[in-house]
Amino acid sequence: MDVMLEILKYIQSFSNKTLDTFFEIVTILGEDIFFIIVIGIFYWCFNKTFGYKLAFVYITSGAINTIIKEIVKLPRPIGYEGIKSIRVKTAGGYSFPSGHTQQSSSLFTTLMIEFKKKWLYFIGVLGMFLVGFSRMYLGVHWPIDVIGGLIIGILWTTIVTKVFAWSKDKDNPIIIGVLVIPMIICLLIFKTATYYKAVGTLIALWLGYIIEDKYIKYVTKAIWWKQINKFVIGFFGLILIKVYFKKLLPLNIYSDFLRYALMGIWMTVISPIIYRSLHIEEN
C-alpha cells in the first residue's frame, strides 16, 4: 500500500487547474451518461444488434465490478494524507477494481472487436489509458484498481461477446440467460444499490431483447432528421425515468431496481413502439 500511495503522490505532483479540468472531463468516458448516449445512438439509430451487444457488455461488466468490490472490500485512497481527491461523487463503494476503467475498457474493447479499424485501436487503447490514469490523478483509485479494471474489463468483454455471438448463431435470445440468471441469483447476496440497478436493467434488457426480437422487429434505418428525433425522444425518456422517477419512489434498493428496469424496457420496447406510432421508423 505504501508503494501505491507514493505512486499516487507522484502522479499528483504534476497537478494544476488545467489538468484537473482535463481529467475530470476524461473520467466522464467511464460514467453512465456517456454509455447511455453511445448505446442509445447505436440501438435507436444505426445498428440494433450491436446496440444490444454493447448494452449487455456494459451492464454485466458493471454487475461483475460490484460483486468483486463487495468481496475484496479494498478502501479507496480518499482521505489519505497527501492525496487530493477530486470528483468524489463518482467514487461510491469500494476501490478494487476501478469501475470507470473497467467500463471504459469494456466499451472500447467491444468497439474494437466489432469494427476492427486501426484508427479505432489507437483511440480505444488511448481512451482506456486516459480513463484509468484519470482515476489515479483524481485521487479516487489505487494503481492496482486501474490495472485490475483494465484486465477484467477486457476479459469479461471477450466472454460476453462470445455468448452474444452464440445467441445470434442459434437465433435464440434466451441463451443470454447464461449471463443473466446467475446475476439474478446473486441479488440475494449482494444487496447494494449499484448491484440492484445493474441487474434491474439487465433483466429488463434481456426480456426486452426477447420481446422485441419476436414481436416488434424494430428497424433502425431512417432519414437523418428522424434519427435525431428518435435519439431525442429516447434519451429524454431515459433521463425522465432515471431522474424524476427517483423523486416518486421510496429510497431503497428495490426502488432502484424498478427504476432501472423501467429504463431497460423503455430503451428496448417502449421507445421503438413510440417511433413506429409516430412514423419516424422507416420500414
Side-chain angles (χ1 to χ4, degrees):
M1 190 66 74
D2 289 340
V3 173
M4 291 193 292
L5 186 59
E6 290 305 314
I7 292 173
L8 290 188
K9 288 181 178 179
Y10 176 75
I11 290 172
Q12 291 197 334
S13 67
F14 298 97
S15 67
N16 57 57
K17 289 184 177 180
T18 301
L19 286 177
D20 288 355
T21 301
F22 174 73
F23 283 115
E24 282 193 74
I25 294 171
V26 166
T27 206
I28 294 173
L29 297 178
E31 295 176 8
D32 282 353
I33 190 66
F34 178 70
F35 289 101
I36 289 173
I37 291 172
V38 173
I39 292 169
I41 288 173
F42 276 108
Y43 179 75
W44 290 319
C45 303
F46 294 107
N47 189 324
K48 178 179 67 177
T49 300
F50 181 68
Y52 271 128
K53 183 193 297 186
L54 195 58
F56 278 119
V57 169
Y58 168 66
I59 297 165
T60 56
S61 181
I64 290 294
N65 182 267
T66 301
I67 288 173
I68 297 173
K69 281 182 175 179
E70 290 298 315
I71 292 173
V72 177
K73 295 184 183 294
L74 178 68
R76 290 178 181 270
I78 299 171
Y80 275 74
E81 186 177 353
I83 298 297
K84 178 180 71 172
S85 295
I86 304 171
R87 202 174 168 79
V88 293
K89 64 180 181 180
T90 67
Y94 294 105
S95 198
F96 180 89
S98 165
H100 282 65
T101 306
Q102 184 176 325
Q103 297 293 66
S104 64
S105 299
S106 295
L107 169 68
F108 288 118
T109 301
T110 307
L111 290 169
M112 288 187 284
I113 291 173
E114 182 72 16
F115 298 108
K116 298 179 176 63
K117 301 291 185 182
K118 289 183 179 179
W119 63 267
L120 188 54
Y121 294 146
F122 173 76
I123 291 176
V125 172
L126 181 63
M128 287 187 275
F129 171 78
L130 286 175
V131 171
F133 190 84
S134 75
R135 303 311 283 166
M136 294 185 291
Y137 178 91
L138 297 175
V140 291
H141 273 295
W142 303 105
I144 193 172
D145 304 336
V146 171
I147 295 170
L150 180 65
I151 294 171
I152 295 167
I154 293 171
L155 290 177
W156 183 252
T157 299
T158 304
I159 293 170
V160 176
T161 51
K162 288 184 180 298
V163 172
F164 194 86
W166 177 31
S167 170
K168 293 302 294 181
D169 289 342
K170 297 294 184 180
D171 194 25
N172 186 1
I174 295 176
I175 290 174
I176 300 294
V178 301
L179 298 171
V180 181
I181 293 173
M183 293 185 177
I184 293 174
I185 295 171
C186 286
L187 287 170
L188 300 173
I189 304 170
F190 302 101
K191 296 189 175 183
T192 70
T194 303
Y195 189 71
Y196 269 62
K197 289 175 183 178
V199 178
T201 311
L202 183 60
I203 293 171
L205 182 69
W206 184 39
L207 292 176
Y209 183 34
I210 295 170
I211 294 168
E212 192 280 328
D213 182 70
K214 187 172 183 178
Y215 299 107
I216 301 174
K217 301 186 185 300
Y218 168 64
V219 177
T220 58
K221 183 180 178 182
I223 195 170
W224 67 269
W225 63 267
K226 290 184 178 181
Q227 299 287 38
I228 293 174
N229 286 338
K230 284 193 291 183
F231 179 77
V232 170
I233 292 170
F235 185 72
F236 178 78
L238 285 176
I239 298 302
L240 188 68
I241 295 170
K242 181 178 172 63
V243 176
Y244 291 100
F245 267 55
K246 187 175 183 178
K247 301 179 184 297
L248 302 176
L249 299 171
L251 297 176
N252 57 53
I253 57 175
Y254 306 107
S255 295
D256 290 332
F257 178 94
L258 175 60
R259 186 160 48 94
Y260 276 73
L262 287 173
M263 290 174 65
I265 291 295
W266 169 268
M267 171 168 275
T268 56
V269 176
I270 299 174
S271 56
I273 291 174
I274 292 174
Y275 302 154
R276 186 162 294 174
S277 66
L278 295 175
H279 306 291
I280 53 175
E281 172 206 30
E282 290 190 5
N283 298 317

